Amino acid sequence: MKIEGKRIRSLKFLEKVEELTKKEVGVILDQNQVPNELKRRGTGKFRPDINWGKNSKRNTVGEYITNKDLPKKNKYINTIEWHWRQYHGKDLEDIYEFVDVYRNVYQKDFVKPMEVDFIYVEEKNLIYADLELDLLKNYNKILVAVNILLEKFGFCQILDDDYEEYIPKKGFEICNWEILPEGEEIWDVLGNKKYSPPKEGEKRKRASFEAYRITTFINKNPLKKYVGINGFQDYLVFVFDKICILETNKYGNATYIVKKENWKTASMFTKAELLNSDFIVDRIIHNEDWKNKIDKIL
């Protein structure tokens, strides 16, 4: 299971992870992603450098949070130098004076550091949090650990007992290959224009549509459901009586309908190879007419 982004506010996604306490929060990195300080240190326990980001700093030294429920206090801010000129007899004289500046400001509460440690395994380019994934016991520490990794690397993974990326079952069986691997750009093959990225105001709507498509096929009660080696980040397979559907929750793709008897071979093709094969039944782009076309097929 992979989480991407810069920050999360909730661990709700972990509530459905099977045997959660046997998993780990961590990252499996490429060699060039490993921070230099870890390469120098080698395998072992460490606490992330405060320069990794705000969450790492909070984890090590804590933070002060403004408490607007309390009245403001008159607080010393700094000392400044005043300079002016005034007459001393017939002559102008430079006058200097230091003045303390006070302001009415909100009071702040100190939040103690979580002090979450991590373990680096050099031979695997692996970093994982040294804590148990118990949501009742360690919720805030887990949240901090995830956000430290997101802020530093842009992603975080839930790892299984073998320190490989955990793939949630949810009724899905696992294929030991990548489903519809990357190939040449299929809009070049089809003569179509490339999808434009979503506009900022469309994000919420589009995200809902992605989840809707996956849920649609699950609710159609397929005979089998499969996930590839890249987990739920890539295409999923839904096998029905006469056809097989390859669907993804990523924007800018399409739904591929293939012959049931050939779905394993078809799912190993790139999209361009699939479109040029005898296994393809249909390709349905992700637009407002998607539901009508799927209803006709199923």
Side-chain angles (χ1 to χ4, degrees):
M1 177 184 288
K2 189 174 186 179
I3 308 101
E4 296 180 298
K6 286 296 182 183
R7 183 186 179 191
I8 60 170
R9 298 180 181 275
S10 167
L11 296 176
K12 192 172 181 63
F13 68 94
L14 288 179
E15 293 177 358
K16 297 182 180 179
V17 174
E18 302 96 337
E19 297 184 292
L20 179 62
T21 56
K22 295 184 179 181
K23 307 297 187 294
E24 306 284 355
V25 167
V27 285
I28 303 170
L29 302 170
D30 294 331
Q31 178 63 25
N32 59 2
Q33 293 176 301
V34 178
N36 289 330
E37 67 265 27
L38 294 186
K39 292 179 181 179
R40 292 191 295 267
R41 180 185 291 119
T43 296
K45 184 182 291 189
F46 73 99
R47 186 164 299 170
D49 191 290
I50 61 174
N51 293 321
W52 277 24
K54 293 181 180 178
N55 289 290
S56 297
K57 187 173 182 179
R58 294 188 188 110
N59 181 56
T60 300
V61 301
E63 65 177 327
Y64 285 91
I65 297 179
T66 300
N67 188 340
K68 294 186 177 181
D69 293 330
L70 298 176
K72 289 184 177 181
K73 291 184 66 176
N74 192 252
K75 182 180 177 181
Y76 166 79
I77 303 299
N78 63 358
T79 299
I80 61 174
E81 178 187 285
W82 285 102
H83 171 227
W84 70 96
R85 305 185 76 190
Q86 70 180 33
Y87 279 98
H88 185 72
K90 293 182 179 182
D91 300 320
L92 282 173
E93 187 177 81
D94 289 323
I95 306 297
Y96 297 89
E97 183 177 291
F98 289 96
V99 178
D100 291 338
V101 177
Y102 287 82
R103 289 179 185 168
N104 289 327
V105 297
Y106 284 109
Q107 299 181 53
K108 293 184 177 182
D109 296 328
F110 178 67
V111 179
K112 293 181 179 179
M114 291 292 175
E115 298 182 329
V116 176
D117 290 326
F118 289 75
I119 295 174
Y120 171 54
V121 183
E122 185 175 13
E123 59 269 24
K124 294 186 176 182
N125 293 332
L126 167 69
I127 299 172
Y128 64 93
D130 185 26
L131 58 86
E132 184 181 16
L133 295 195
D134 185 329
L135 294 179
L136 293 177
K137 179 181 176 182
N138 290 326
Y139 189 97
N140 290 331
K141 287 190 174 185
I142 298 169
L143 188 61
V144 165
V146 171
N147 281 323
I148 286 174
L149 297 174
L150 288 177
E151 190 172 38
K152 178 63 175 178
F153 302 107
F155 73 100
C156 175
Q157 294 160 291
I158 306 303
L159 308 174
D160 60 21
D161 294 346
D162 296 320
Y163 297 98
E164 301 291 341
E165 184 173 331
Y166 159 70
I167 300 177
K169 303 284 191 300
K170 297 182 181 178
F172 284 80
E173 297 180 41
I174 301 174
C175 302
N176 62 350
W177 63 85
E178 183 179 355
I179 298 171
L180 291 186
E182 290 291 333
E184 61 182 300
E185 306 285 25
I186 62 168
W187 43 80
D188 293 340
V189 175
L190 299 173
N192 294 337
K193 291 183 178 180
K194 183 176 179 179
Y195 280 94
S196 59
K199 297 178 182 178
E200 186 172 349
E202 295 177 314
K203 286 182 179 178
R204 185 178 298 276
K205 181 178 179 181
R206 182 163 288 117
S208 176
F209 181 44
E210 319 303 6
Y212 169 77
R213 294 197 310 272
I214 299 297
T215 303
T216 294
F217 293 127
I218 291 176
N219 291 340
K220 294 285 186 180
N221 297 317
L223 300 176
K224 292 279 188 178
K225 297 175 290 184
Y226 294 90
V227 60
I229 58 173
N230 289 332
F232 287 83
Q233 298 296 314
D234 285 344
Y235 271 83
L236 308 179
V237 177
F238 300 90
V239 181
F240 292 91
D241 288 331
K242 298 180 180 180
I243 60 170
C244 176
I245 292 175
L246 310 180
E247 181 60 280
T248 179
N249 61 2
K250 288 185 177 180
Y251 169 76
N253 288 276
T255 304
Y256 293 85
I257 317 295
V258 300
K259 297 176 181 178
K260 177 186 175 183
E261 60 271 22
N262 306 114
W263 78 263
K264 289 185 179 180
T265 301
S267 68
M268 296 180 190
F269 286 168
T270 66
K271 295 173 186 176
E273 290 170 339
L274 178 60
L275 290 171
N276 290 319
S277 74
D278 294 330
F279 304 147
I280 187 74
V281 175
D282 201 353
R283 173 181 180 272
I284 303 174
I285 62 173
H286 296 158
N287 60 20
E288 60 185 12
D289 200 35
W290 181 87
K291 182 180 184 302
N292 292 331
K293 291 181 178 180
I294 292 299
D295 286 343
K296 290 179 182 179
I297 291 174
L298 294 177

